């Protein structure tokens, strides 16, 4: 790190090899439309089929699931497993989840997210019970 005269050896700080990082594939309008179509045809939970048929197989199952969660506006997709819907239905679910999230204070980064108090669960339980 130091030269014989006590100065800093600048070569010490240069990388020994150059590593090129490939550009990551971007998720754009074509992929979003493919995901809408995949949700309509295959439904929630069929990530591999959606990827194969509508996204050219370029994403892994987890990436497709995360994008679907963002489209639906719900971090948890458990209540949607097997659900199929057109673009209009997906957008309607997003709006519904956003309204629930804003009402319960559980709308975080564009998704309905359960909190430590179970606010979302309590909201759904109250809806199932109906008016008293």
């Amino acid at each position: 790190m130091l030269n014989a005269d006590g100065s800093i050896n600048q070569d010490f700080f240069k990388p020994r090899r150059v590593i090129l990082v490939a550009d990551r594939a971007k998720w754009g309008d074509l992929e979003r439309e493919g995901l809408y179509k995949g949700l309509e045809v295959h439904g929630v939970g069929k990530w591999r089929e959606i990827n194969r048929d509508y996204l050219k197989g370029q994403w892994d199952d987890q990436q497709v699931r995360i994008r679907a969660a963002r489209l639906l506006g719900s971090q948890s997709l458990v209540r949607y497993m097997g659900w199929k819907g057109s673009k209009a239905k997906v957008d309607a679910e997003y709006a519904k989840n956003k309204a629930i999230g804003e009402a319960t204070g559980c709308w975080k980064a564009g998704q309905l997210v359960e909190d430590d108090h179970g606010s979302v669960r309590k909201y759904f339980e109250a809806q199932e019970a109906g008016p008293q």
Side-chain angles (χ1 to χ4, degrees), residues 23-65:
D23 288 337
R24 293 177 55 192
K26 302 271 186 198
W27 191 274
D29 292 338
L30 289 175
E31 289 80 10
R32 187 174 5 284
E33 291 305 315
L35 183 52
Y36 276 124
K37 187 67 176 167
L39 290 172
E40 183 176 2
V41 173
H42 295 296
V44 173
K46 300 294 185 178
W47 313 128
R48 186 165 293 132
E49 291 84 351
I50 292 170
N51 188 29
R52 179 192 65 221
D53 296 345
Y54 299 101
L55 300 173
K56 303 176 191 169
Q58 64 182 344
W59 309 96
D60 64 38
D61 293 355
Q62 186 67 9
Q63 290 169 315
V64 176
R65 188 202 68 76

Side-chain angles (χ1 to χ4, degrees), residues 9-125:
N9 179 356
Q10 293 297 321
D11 290 334
F12 178 82
F13 297 100
K14 291 182 182 176
R16 301 223 186 303
R17 58 189 162 139
V18 176
I19 300 172
L20 298 176
V21 178
D23 288 337
R24 293 177 55 192
K26 302 271 186 198
W27 191 274
D29 292 338
L30 289 175
E31 289 80 10
R32 187 174 5 284
E33 291 305 315
L35 183 52
Y36 276 124
K37 187 67 176 167
L39 290 172
E40 183 176 2
V41 173
H42 295 296
V44 173
K46 300 294 185 178
W47 313 128
R48 186 165 293 132
E49 291 84 351
I50 292 170
N51 188 29
R52 179 192 65 221
D53 296 345
Y54 299 101
L55 300 173
K56 303 176 191 169
Q58 64 182 344
W59 309 96
D60 64 38
D61 293 355
Q62 186 67 9
Q63 290 169 315
V64 176
R65 188 202 68 76
I66 289 169
R67 294 297 180 157
R70 288 181 183 161
L71 278 183
L72 287 163
S74 179
Q75 184 180 37
S76 173
L77 295 177
V78 171
R79 62 191 161 98
Y80 288 105
M81 292 310 286
W83 180 88
K84 295 180 181 180
S86 64
K87 182 179 187 301
K89 287 183 179 181
V90 170
D91 291 344
E93 285 299 310
Y94 179 90
K96 183 174 84 175
N97 286 327
K98 183 175 182 179
I100 293 168
E102 289 175 344
T104 59
C106 295
W107 187 250
K108 310 287 185 209
Q111 291 184 334
L112 179 63
V113 178
E114 184 64 84
D115 62 7
D116 292 339
H117 308 291
S119 300
V120 174
R121 179 184 44 79
K122 290 175 186 174
Y123 179 90
F124 282 117
E125 287 171 357

